[in-house]
């Protein structure tokens, strides 16, 4: 894949700007969480339309590519499906979304709520992807890849551009990794100017395995965040960008991710799904330890979860 430039990312940001939210950041101190007293910035992308960063990539695909009359098709653990369904609804395009059985009820409900034709297929993302590819061939619908597509990466890269403008003095950004579209986009924007650290569940180490092998390879695909951070392997288009610009990766346990979810809710009233809290869990668990004075940003990438049920409190 040819280099993704800052000019292309800026152009993509202008293209999708009318359709996506500029999500806020909150500035904290590590001491609030029992960590060293370093500046800490959280990028609250869970407040994006459809509940995650995936909406950026979905709109980039539907606006930059020619959508046929048959509409679009996507395979997803949940968030990308919700984002594609939302973008299709807003732009008046038909959409069929394939998800595996591990998708959370919250994500399935969102997809249905946006009016897409939902198909539950197989136990893992790879199963849903295979079914979606067959449907694309049969119907002529345009596939919208969850991560391994140039437009998808460009869309996710706009989060990096936004964060750079909101928090221009950060030294490091922690980003959760599934298929790698988000971290590739953010890394492409910063192009080595800061440290970009990938955070992966130990049960789904796709980028860690790829970097060790020198190319994408199959990895385990399980754990608490399997509906958002467990494709079988990192994207082929993602890998060269990540290999060039991602500083390193760290692995976190399911328990650490669950603890980060609890902490975000208890301390900040932020409701993050497991995949959305994974990057923050690297700080809390010590998987990533900042140096003295290091200014760290963390992307809270999604909030599609039923972890909080207000009906129980009424």
């Amino acid at each position: 894949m040819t280099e993704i430039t800052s000019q292309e990312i800026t152009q993509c940001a202008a293209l999708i700007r009318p359709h996506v939210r500029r999500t806020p950041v909150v500035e904290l101190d590590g001491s609030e969480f029992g960590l060293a007293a370093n500046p800490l910035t959280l990028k609250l992308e869970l407040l994006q339309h459809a509940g995650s960063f995936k909406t950026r990539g979905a709109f980039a695909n539907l606006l930059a590519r020619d959508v046929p009359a048959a509409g679009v098709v996507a395979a997803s653990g949940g968030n990308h499906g919700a984002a594609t369904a939302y973008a299709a609804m807003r732009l008046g395009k038909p959409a069929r979304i394939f998800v595996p059985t591990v998708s959370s009820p919250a994500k399935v409900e969102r997809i249905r709520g946006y009016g897409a034709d939902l198909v539950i297929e197989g136990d893992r993302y790879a199963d849903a992807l295979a079914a979606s590819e067959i449907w694309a061939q049969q119907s002529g619908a345009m596939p919208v890849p969850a991560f391994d597509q140039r437009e998808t990466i460009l869309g996710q890269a706009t989060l990096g551009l936004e964060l750079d403008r909101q928090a221009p003095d950060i030294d490091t950004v922690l980003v959760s990794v599934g298929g790698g579209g988000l971290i590739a986009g953010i890394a492409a924007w910063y192009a080595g100017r800061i440290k970009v650290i990938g955070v992966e569940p130990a049960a789904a180490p796709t980028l860690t395995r790829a970097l060790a092998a020198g190319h994408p390879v199959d990895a385990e695909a399980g754990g608490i965040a399997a509906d958002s951070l467990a494709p079988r392997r990192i994207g082929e288009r993602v890998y060269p960008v990540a290999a060039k610009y991602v500083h390193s990766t760290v692995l976190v346990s399911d328990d650490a991710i669950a603890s980060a979810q609890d902490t975000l809710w208890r301390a900040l009233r932020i409701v993050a799904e497991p995949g959305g809290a994974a990057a923050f869990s690297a700080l809390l668990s010590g998987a990533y330890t900042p140096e003295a004075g290091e200014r760290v940003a963390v992307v809270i990438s999604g909030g599609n979860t039923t972890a909080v049920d207000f009906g129980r409190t009424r």
Side-chain angles (χ1 to χ4, degrees):
M1 188 176 79
T2 56
E3 187 88 1
I4 290 179
T5 67
S6 59
Q7 181 180 6
E8 287 179 290
I9 297 168
T10 302
Q11 290 170 344
C12 183
L15 178 67
I16 69 174
R17 175 87 283 276
H19 306 282
V20 300
R21 291 175 179 149
R22 183 180 287 108
T23 56
V25 299
V26 58
E27 296 180 351
L28 308 163
D29 191 279
S31 60
E32 296 182 40
F33 306 98
L35 304 171
N38 286 14
L40 178 61
T41 300
L42 302 185
K43 173 65 168 166
L44 303 184
E45 189 65 10
L46 78 164
L47 300 179
Q48 187 55 259
H49 289 298
S52 84
F53 72 93
K54 294 284 191 178
T55 302
R56 298 173 184 269
F59 272 111
N61 273 277
L62 269 68
L63 292 168
R65 301 167 63 197
D66 293 327
V67 179
V72 297
V73 58
S76 169
N79 282 340
H80 175 63
T84 302
Y86 175 80
M89 177 189 71
R90 297 293 298 179
L91 298 174
K93 307 293 184 182
R96 177 172 283 201
I97 309 298
F98 290 79
V99 300
T101 57
V102 297
S103 293
S104 75
K107 295 176 184 181
V108 170
E109 185 179 341
R110 271 206 187 246
I111 293 168
R112 287 200 174 111
Y114 295 142
D117 182 8
L118 177 71
V119 181
I120 299 175
E121 183 71 38
D123 294 330
R124 290 287 183 248
Y125 168 75
D127 303 320
L129 178 61
S132 76
E133 290 170 345
I134 293 171
W135 171 253
Q137 293 171 355
Q138 292 174 344
S139 67
M142 184 184 85
V144 181
F147 49 86
D148 209 19
Q149 175 77 24
R150 189 176 185 85
E151 286 82 6
T152 304
I153 298 170
L154 281 168
Q156 319 313 21
T158 66
L159 189 155
L161 180 157
E162 223 172 83
L163 177 61
D164 197 8
R165 292 175 177 173
Q166 292 169 312
D169 296 329
I170 61 173
D171 303 304
T172 304
V173 59
L174 302 182
V175 186
S176 59
V177 181
L182 178 60
I183 196 167
I186 291 174
W189 172 257
Y190 282 106
R193 290 186 285 119
I194 68 170
K195 284 197 296 185
V196 178
I197 308 292
V199 181
E200 300 190 284
T206 52
L207 181 54
T208 300
R209 290 286 172 82
L211 292 173
H215 57 87
V217 294
D218 285 355
E220 303 95 302
I224 191 175
D227 66 340
S228 60
L229 301 182
R232 189 168 290 166
R233 60 167 58 193
I234 208 81
E236 296 288 340
R237 292 176 177 84
V238 164
Y239 178 77
V241 182
K244 184 173 183 179
Y245 292 126
V246 171
H247 179 273
S248 57
T249 63
V250 298
L251 301 179
V252 292
S253 69
D254 281 0
D255 286 347
I257 293 172
S259 177
Q261 285 183 281
D262 290 341
T263 299
L264 285 168
W265 172 246
R266 186 177 66 253
L268 296 164
R269 286 303 185 254
I270 289 172
V271 182
E273 64 184 272
F280 188 57
S281 77
L283 284 178
L284 295 185
S285 68
Y288 182 80
T289 303
E291 298 177 3
E294 184 177 345
R295 296 160 296 188
V296 177
V298 180
V299 180
I300 310 298
S301 55
N304 286 320
T305 175
T306 51
V308 175
D309 181 3
F310 289 109
R312 292 177 303 175
T313 65
R314 294 193 184 116

